[in-house]
Amino acid sequence: MRSLWAALLGAALRTAAFESCAEARRYYKADDLAEEARRLRAGRANVSRALRFLHVPKNAGTTIQRLLPGTRPRTTVLDGRTCGKCVKVGGPCACSLWHVPPRYLPRPSPYAGHDTFCVARDPVDRVLSQWRMEGARRSACLVMRERLTHRCGAAMSDCHLWPQHEYVWDAAGRRMCAHVLAFDDLSDQFRRLMRAAGRDDVTLPPVTSVRSALHHGAAAPETDLGANVTLMIRCAYKLDECLLRGRDIFEECARLDLTLDGWTRACDRSAGRKRRCRVHCRKRGTASARERLHKIS
């Protein structure tokens, strides 16, 4: 199983440039997102050019790509050759072109001249979706502790857990994704955006398959992870929380130990809690979170 947790370390390192959530929001002009969401709900989204989908991995991207197969970039030219998986964004490892944030792509960007749209998701839900996809054979916390030093860094697993805000803005604070849709309200927002683009014929299908339910359904309750591990995940993606969800957790995160030792201690505590839960759950005749997950698979 590839590591899904090395991404958390890389994401945490990139948040160090800002001392506060307010500073980050001013830099990226994140308040604009709320106004754009209101215009979308009111049917006033401005789509003046051809749409191009900016795929943020683990955010229903594959489903959208199947509906709009011509709206994602497939190849680019790098060092004189055409390729689809050659852009290295984390050490020695490359990711599929459509998984790479625009800020790392060679010019001319395949997104230039288009109205781009993407999907933003709760970081914990996104991490658990990746964990489920990889088999859920171990606790998410244990996978992180064991794989934190993955050679690919945040690019492991084809950039599946690269920080989401890096798809929305470039390093200079310029918007790369013109229309940011919320995963929690994706069906309605996607329908409204397609209508604004003159594509009333395109709607998201309902989640009916086990695979889609596991990957794209709601995450397990935070108590299944434990409050401390949940907060540690959010802090690893605190800029996503700040910029895309409007949650300022910078002060809470400053009190946490997000080093490898810190994760080791958190995982040990989490494992002890889950062992106690399994005993009590059996006594009460209730299913654990892991048992509930595998009952539908």
Side-chain angles (χ1 to χ4, degrees):
M1 180 189 296
R2 288 185 176 182
S3 165
L4 58 98
W5 291 101
L8 301 182
L9 177 61
L13 293 176
R14 279 188 292 276
T15 65
F18 298 100
E19 295 184 357
S20 69
C21 177
E23 179 187 354
R25 290 187 65 84
R26 284 194 299 270
Y27 180 80
Y28 287 110
K29 299 180 176 62
D31 289 344
D32 292 348
L33 294 180
E35 175 57 31
E36 291 161 9
R38 284 191 287 270
R39 288 204 301 266
L40 179 62
R41 287 193 296 270
R44 294 187 287 110
N46 181 22
V47 182
S48 58
R49 300 176 295 181
L51 281 176
R52 174 143 280 190
F53 179 50
L54 207 171
H55 184 161
V56 182
K58 303 311 303 169
N59 291 7
T62 300
T63 299
I64 293 174
Q65 285 176 179
R66 288 171 179 163
L67 288 173
L68 302 167
T71 64
R72 76 170 185 183
R74 294 181 178 274
T75 60
T76 189
V77 177
L78 186 65
D79 297 330
R81 65 189 180 98
T82 301
C83 57
K85 191 172 184 178
C86 56
V87 178
K88 295 179 180 179
V89 292
C93 303
C95 295
S96 298
L97 181 69
W98 50 91
H99 284 179
V100 177
R103 62 169 71 185
Y104 301 108
L105 293 174
R107 294 184 178 181
S109 169
Y111 299 102
H114 294 80
D115 272 341
T116 51
F117 73 100
C118 60
V119 179
R121 186 177 191 178
D122 181 317
V124 174
D125 283 8
R126 187 171 178 241
V127 166
L128 287 178
S129 176
Q130 176 70 10
W131 171 64
R132 291 166 181 148
M133 190 188 80
E134 294 187 1
R137 290 187 290 271
R138 295 178 289 177
S139 76
C141 194
L142 282 176
V143 175
M144 176 181 174
R145 185 188 68 182
E146 294 174 7
R147 305 289 186 174
L148 200 59
T149 56
H150 193 283
R151 71 184 186 91
C152 293
M156 86 297 145
S157 296
D158 203 20
C159 289
H160 270 195
L161 287 178
W162 198 275
Q164 297 174 78
H165 72 276
E166 292 203 356
Y167 293 85
V168 180
W169 294 274
D170 69 8
R174 293 183 294 258
R175 280 282 290 277
M176 297 289 101
C177 179
H179 305 280
V180 182
L181 309 184
F183 186 92
D184 292 342
D185 190 30
L186 182 56
S187 182
D188 182 63
Q189 292 190 15
F190 181 81
R191 177 178 58 82
R192 292 177 185 274
L193 181 64
M194 291 300 105
R195 179 178 297 171
R199 295 296 307 272
D200 293 282
D201 57 310
V202 181
T203 58
L204 282 177
V207 175
T208 56
S209 71
V210 170
R211 179 181 176 86
S212 292
L214 284 173
H215 295 181
H216 300 142
E222 295 194 1
T223 50
D224 289 338
L225 281 174
N228 188 57
V229 173
T230 297
L231 180 58
M232 290 176 75
I233 293 172
R234 295 196 184 283
C235 288
Y237 289 104
K238 67 180 180 182
L239 275 182
D240 288 351
E241 291 280 350
C242 168
L243 299 171
L244 299 173
R245 291 167 54 79
R247 296 188 60 189
D248 183 355
I249 58 174
F250 274 52
E251 289 188 8
E252 294 174 81
C253 297
R255 296 191 290 268
L256 292 179
D257 182 358
L258 296 175
T259 65
L260 183 59
D261 287 343
W263 277 103
T264 298
R265 289 190 291 272
C267 293
D268 289 344
R269 289 193 295 268
S270 178
R273 180 185 60 80
K274 288 179 180 179
R275 282 193 295 270
R276 292 192 296 273
C277 176
R278 283 196 292 270
V279 171
H280 294 311
C281 285
R282 282 195 292 269
K283 287 181 179 179
R284 295 196 303 266
T286 58
S288 68
R290 183 181 177 85
E291 289 166 342
R292 291 197 301 274
L293 172 64
H294 286 283
K295 277 184 178 180
I296 61 173
S297 60

